[in-house]
Amino acid sequence: MKALIIGSGGREHAIFYKIQQELGENNVLITPGNGGTAKYAIKSDLNNFEQIKKIVLENNIDLIICGPEQPLANGIADYFNNDTSLNKKIFIGPTQQAAKLESSKTFAKKFMQKYQIPTANFANFNHTQFEEANIFLNSLTAPYVIKASGLAAGKGVVITNDINEARETISQFFYQNALGEAGKEIVIEEFIDGIEMSAFIATNGKDYVLLPEAKDYKKIGEGDTGLNTGGMGSVSPTNLLNEPLKDKIISKIIHPTLFGLQDMKISFNGFIFFGIIIKNNEPYLLEYNVRLGDPETQVVIPRFKTSFTELCLSIKNENLNKYKIETNQLYHCCITLASKGYPNNYEKNKIIEIKNEKIDSFIFHGGTQLDSHGNIVTSGGRVLYIVGYGDSLRAAQLMAYNDIKKIHFDGIYYRKDIGDDLLNLKNNF
Ligand code: GLY
């Protein structure tokens, strides 16, 4: 069997690494990949499905796993389903209609409301409704949560205590094109003060396998301060999930989601990410993603003892019920190494040096590429993901932070507190 991973981030590198272990080095390709996967990468534009088709057919690919949301939102799964030379291939990722759970926050919130999935109260507005949005804002108390309805690469959520900043954000989304089309519609929602967790399932829209949970750290600054990013670190397992809470997540969130998909006759082949906030031991759903999380995948994949390839095949073959996931109980802690300036403007093409001493952590690449001299250089905001592991979260953290000392590029930035909140957590949240 030959597989192709679609994407260029750390999530895709982690999936690539695991599938390569399972299928053999020469049976897995990636497009467009990055500096860490360059040997097996084929250049492409992810939204040019003709190019992806050519790669699949020329390389006799059987299994295709789509990592990022944008091609899914643009209909890559539909393209595969509708093309007679591709529709026998095993494509993992949902259709455009199902991808609306992520590509339209308005659709997602209405879906949650319709199927009584616990979530923050909300209202949605389009760019002709600035006044109405303001009236709704006035009815709320701070903090104010403004979300762009469309895909915004982690930059679509603003939480502020200042109502003027909230108004200004809406004005920027509606009138100053801050996020393009993604911001022309917004959701304003009630703020829930709790602790966030990420849950994942692999599903065919009916049956599902629950994957290990994780926590990610979205803010650029220590203590969860500053701008939102694509993710500055992650941890799995967390000490957030006890059995009663897990049961509630399953019965109040996962089951109604699958019921809703069936009720609305929306087919789903792939992974659903549930962004959950826990308050007073009750889970609330903040958002859906229709793919695995980044950087959560970087800590979830190394925990798999069972085959990830088999999991993907089970989605397609409708035998997820028979897949018994086994995971190791080691703690994994991922630290994102970012370019100076990220998530705003940052410089690229900084040479990455990884000292020759032994590194114990997993290293997954994100924004890296090979330059014309064969050096690995920075090419994005989130550059590398260093994943330490051990019998305790502390041991996993220590491994990652110790290994980071052996890595250098100009302007390297990372948070020093990934996982600290979980170490300090009291039982009540
Ligand atoms: N970690 C959140 C995301 O993948 O969007």
Side-chain angles (χ1 to χ4, degrees):
M1 165 162 292
K2 290 189 78 178
L4 176 73
I5 316 301
I6 298 178
S8 62
R11 166 185 47 212
E12 289 78 26
H13 190 178
I15 296 171
F16 172 84
Y17 158 83
K18 175 79 173 136
I19 304 252
Q20 206 179 35
Q21 280 188 333
E22 292 167 0
L23 294 183
E25 182 182 343
N26 295 320
N27 291 324
V28 191
L29 297 172
I30 186 163
T31 187
N34 56 37
T37 53
K39 189 171 164 201
Y40 310 94
I42 302 177
K43 282 202 168 38
S44 71
D45 165 358
L46 286 190
N47 295 307
N48 183 336
F49 303 155
E50 291 286 320
Q51 278 182 10
I52 311 269
K53 170 178 173 176
K54 197 158 168 265
I55 296 170
V56 167
L57 295 179
E58 283 181 0
N59 293 283
N60 294 318
I61 300 290
D62 308 288
L63 168 67
I64 304 101
I65 302 170
C66 183
E69 61 277 20
Q70 193 72 58
L72 297 168
N74 290 350
I76 189 169
D78 310 76
Y79 179 88
F80 269 71
N81 290 339
N82 295 332
D83 186 300
T84 47
S85 59
L86 294 174
N87 63 11
K88 300 280 177 311
K89 306 286 182 188
I90 303 162
F91 185 90
I92 302 299
T95 60
Q96 189 168 38
Q97 189 193 22
K100 277 177 78 181
L101 282 179
E102 177 166 2
S103 64
S104 167
K105 298 274 175 288
T106 304
F107 176 82
K109 291 292 289 193
K110 288 187 172 170
F111 181 93
M112 294 175 209
Q113 196 174 44
K114 180 167 179 190
Y115 295 104
Q116 294 171 3
I117 295 166
T119 189
N121 290 326
F122 75 100
N124 60 290
F125 304 94
N126 67 38
H127 62 104
T128 65
Q129 295 175 303
F130 186 68
E131 279 315 312
E132 290 90 329
N134 269 305
I135 292 167
F136 184 68
L137 263 189
N138 288 337
S139 74
L140 301 176
T141 48
Y144 307 97
V145 183
I146 321 288
K147 291 183 172 175
S149 183
L151 293 180
K155 297 196 175 133
V157 182
V158 173
I159 301 175
T160 174
N161 281 312
D162 178 349
I163 195 159
N164 291 322
E165 191 184 338
R167 288 196 188 107
E168 178 55 27
T169 301
I170 298 173
S171 162
Q172 283 176 1
F173 285 2
F174 280 176
Y175 305 127
Q176 290 158 52
N177 228 18
L179 297 172
E181 278 308 304
K184 298 294 181 211
E185 187 169 348
I186 57 166
V187 166
I188 302 180
E189 68 179 29
E190 168 203 22
F191 178 76
I192 299 181
D193 190 11
I195 185 154
E196 282 187 45
M197 201 200 86
S198 309
F200 309 94
I201 59 170
T203 184
N204 56 14
K206 206 165 64 231
D207 308 313
Y208 70 95
V209 170
L210 185 64
L211 273 45
E213 90 287 4
K215 175 168 175 21
D216 82 340
Y217 294 79
K218 293 199 176 78
K219 297 282 186 182
I220 188 71
E222 278 147 28
D224 288 330
T225 53
L227 295 174
N228 267 338
T229 70
M232 295 304 295
S234 54
V235 168
S236 179
T238 68
N239 49 356
L240 299 171
L241 197 61
N242 50 39
E243 281 304 313
L245 186 59
K246 183 170 159 183
D247 289 346
K248 286 182 195 168
I249 290 174
I250 290 173
S251 63
K252 296 185 175 189
I253 295 179
I254 295 177
H255 286 176
T257 297
L258 296 177
F259 175 82
L261 287 171
Q262 288 164 51
D263 186 52
M264 291 179 72
K265 307 212 176 343
I266 300 176
S267 63
F268 200 107
N269 267 334
F271 297 94
I272 304 181
F273 161 132
F274 302 87
I276 288 168
I277 193 151
I278 306 159
K279 182 180 181 186
N280 299 331
N281 277 304
E282 285 297 325
Y284 297 84
L285 184 60
L286 289 179
E287 62 173 1
Y288 291 108
N289 291 337
V290 295
R291 34 95 192 166
L292 289 172
D294 187 336
E296 290 96 325
T297 305
Q298 291 88 312
V299 288
V300 167
I301 284 277
R303 294 193 55 208
F304 263 76
K305 281 167 58 178
T306 34
S307 161
F308 191 77
T309 310
E310 204 52 52
L311 178 64
C312 293
L313 299 181
S314 304
I315 294 174
K316 199 67 178 181
N317 298 336
E318 308 251 321
N319 54 8
L320 279 167
N321 281 339
K322 300 207 182 79
Y323 184 92
K324 298 282 169 260
I325 186 169
E326 280 180 52
T327 53
N328 66 48
Q329 293 313 309
L330 294 175
Y331 283 80
H332 289 71
C333 179
C334 167
I335 318 295
T336 305
L337 305 186
S339 298
K340 183 178 165 194
Y342 175 79
N344 291 322
N345 292 339
Y346 51 83
E347 288 180 19
K348 297 182 184 171
N349 292 315
K350 305 292 180 195
I351 292 181
I352 301 170
E353 292 163 288
I354 303 184
K355 295 221 177 86
N356 261 346
E357 301 162 50
K358 186 172 170 333
I359 292 205
D360 295 310
S361 302
F362 296 94
I363 302 183
F364 296 123
H365 288 235
T368 71
Q369 64 182 24
L370 285 185
D371 72 8
S372 53
H373 306 289
N375 298 310
I376 295 190
V377 298
T378 65
S379 63
R382 293 187 299 157
V383 176
L384 293 173
Y385 303 87
I386 313 305
V387 183
Y389 52 92
D391 288 333
S392 64
L393 176 53
R394 191 81 194 115
Q397 267 186 332
L398 283 174
M399 182 191 284
Y401 282 117
N402 194 35
D403 282 338
I404 287 171
K405 293 182 196 144
K406 303 165 197 164
I407 299 170
H408 175 77
F409 55 89
D410 279 352
I412 189 170
Y413 169 79
Y414 58 93
R415 276 180 61 168
K416 318 276 187 310
D417 65 343
I418 301 300
D420 282 356
D421 57 337
L422 295 181
L423 288 174
N424 300 328
L425 196 68
K426 307 280 177 287
N427 273 337
N428 266 336
F429 45 81

